[in-house]
């Protein structure tokens, strides 16, 4: 089995807990206005290479003594569920934890065999308001929110991520709506919130008009989540 791999980072400390090998797969099914990796979205990328599961695992195996686990990301790695499953099935016997980083637009519950070998999911909720989500990504958030519920119910929601972009939508209203939606899920399982500061550098020129939120604004948003019992990471 093969998939197109953009890159493999042997040691990453930003793609889940501990030191991890991060595997980035080519292709994405949505169109975020602030995408920093537009080259990973399409089917082709001169930087990417076709790799078998075995070739990916050869790279992973070299790092086993030094890593806690692996994270598969993209693009959108859930466009390749069988490939991700096959990697995880080989990673588990090596004692590695397995995480997926996803935009949440593909239903996880359709892939029970993949979920059986997945320890957790880092799920983007790019906006709570449906129209805002469409504006930001050209895709609605119905499946994203259904995925958040499903993953919390089965204890596999590791982290909810949201990029904060003032100007694209109302950040305060979005935070309130997120808290209201996530609070009941937080009763079901523990997960953390990662608030990601939008940075205009590197985004497509036509979308670089949006301003980077201030540290004060990000901290204030973080406090709102903390007041409701969430662990919050701001990057
Ligand atoms: S989900 Fe990620 S890779 Fe896909 S368009 Fe959005 S930011 Fe880019």
């Amino acid at each position: 089995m093969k998939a197109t791999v953009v890159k493999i980072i042997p040691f990453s400390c930003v793609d889940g807990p501990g030191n991890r090998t991060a595997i980035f797969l080519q292709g994405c099914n949505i169109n975020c206005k602030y995408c920093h990796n537009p080259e990973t979205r399409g089917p082709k990328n001169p930087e990417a290479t076709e790799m078998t599961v075995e070739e990916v695992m050869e790279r992973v195996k070299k790092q086993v003594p030094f890593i806690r686990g692996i994270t598969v990301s993209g693009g959108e790695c859930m466009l390749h569920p069988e490939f991700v499953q096959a990697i995880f099935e080989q990673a588990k016997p090596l004692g590695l934890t397995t995480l997926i980083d996803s935009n949440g637009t593909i239903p996880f519950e359709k892939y029970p065999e993949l979920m059986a070998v997945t320890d957790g999911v880092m799920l983007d909720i790019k906006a709570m308001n449906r129209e805002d989500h469409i504006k930001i990504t050209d895709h609605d958030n119905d499946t994203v929110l259904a995925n958040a519920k499903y993953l919390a119910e089965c204890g596999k929601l590791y982290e909810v991520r949201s990029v904060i972009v003032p100007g694209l939508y109302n950040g305060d209203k979005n935070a309130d709506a997120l808290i209201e939606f996530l609070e009941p899920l937080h009763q079901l399982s523990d997960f953390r919130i990662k608030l990601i500061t939008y940075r205009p550098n590197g985004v497509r020129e036509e979308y670089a008009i949006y301003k980077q939120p201030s540290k004060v604004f990000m901290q204030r948003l973080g406090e709102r989540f903390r007041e409701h019992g969430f662990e919050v990471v701001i990057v």
Side-chain angles (χ1 to χ4, degrees), residues 28 30-32 34-37 40-41 74-75 103 124 126:
C28 188
I30 64 174
N31 182 23
C32 301
Y34 48 65
C35 184
H36 279 84
N37 307 303
T40 68
R41 288 189 50 248
N103 67 31
D124 292 349
K126 293 171 190 286

Side-chain angles (χ1 to χ4, degrees), residues 120-138:
V121 174
M122 295 178 285
L123 183 77
D124 292 349
I125 301 185
K126 293 171 190 286
M128 271 304 295
N129 178 282
R130 194 172 190 272
E131 299 313 312
D132 285 341
H133 198 279
I134 294 170
K135 190 167 72 177
I136 296 166
T137 68
D138 293 344

Side-chain angles (χ1 to χ4, degrees), residues 37-196:
N37 307 303
E39 69 285 354
T40 68
R41 288 189 50 248
K44 294 214 170 108
N45 175 357
E47 307 282 301
T49 39
E50 281 231 311
M51 293 178 80
T52 63
V53 172
E54 289 68 30
E55 285 168 335
V56 171
M57 288 310 297
E58 276 313 304
R59 300 273 295 274
V60 170
K61 280 175 189 165
K62 288 183 187 151
Q63 315 307 333
V64 167
F66 316 108
I67 57 173
R68 194 192 294 186
I70 60 172
T71 299
V72 183
S73 183
E76 174 49 46
C77 66
M78 283 299 290
L79 293 172
H80 316 275
E82 292 85 8
F83 190 82
V84 179
Q85 182 185 328
I87 289 175
F88 285 2
E89 282 171 350
Q90 294 198 24
K92 284 295 212 181
L94 301 173
L96 299 173
T97 59
T98 52
L99 290 184
I100 290 174
D101 175 6
S102 171
N103 67 31
T105 55
I106 293 165
F108 285 93
E109 67 181 329
K110 279 197 175 168
Y111 301 97
E113 290 171 1
L114 168 58
M115 294 319 295
V117 286
T118 301
D119 290 311
V121 174
M122 295 178 285
L123 183 77
D124 292 349
I125 301 185
K126 293 171 190 286
M128 271 304 295
N129 178 282
R130 194 172 190 272
E131 299 313 312
D132 285 341
H133 198 279
I134 294 170
K135 190 167 72 177
I136 296 166
T137 68
D138 293 344
H139 200 288
D140 68 61
N141 61 2
D142 298 349
T143 304
V144 179
L145 301 184
N147 270 332
K149 284 185 185 159
Y150 166 76
L151 293 168
E153 281 163 6
C154 57
K156 303 232 169 179
L157 187 57
Y158 170 72
E159 179 177 273
V160 171
R161 299 176 155 188
S162 201
V163 180
I164 307 300
V165 195
L168 254 186
Y169 57 83
N170 184 315
D172 288 299
K173 266 194 183 169
N174 186 59
D176 287 342
L178 255 179
I179 290 166
E180 192 180 338
F181 173 71
L182 292 175
E183 256 193 319
L185 305 187
H186 203 215
Q187 309 297 323
L188 301 176
S189 83
D190 198 19
F191 56 88
R192 67 180 195 171
I193 308 291
K194 184 179 266 185
L195 300 178
I196 301 170

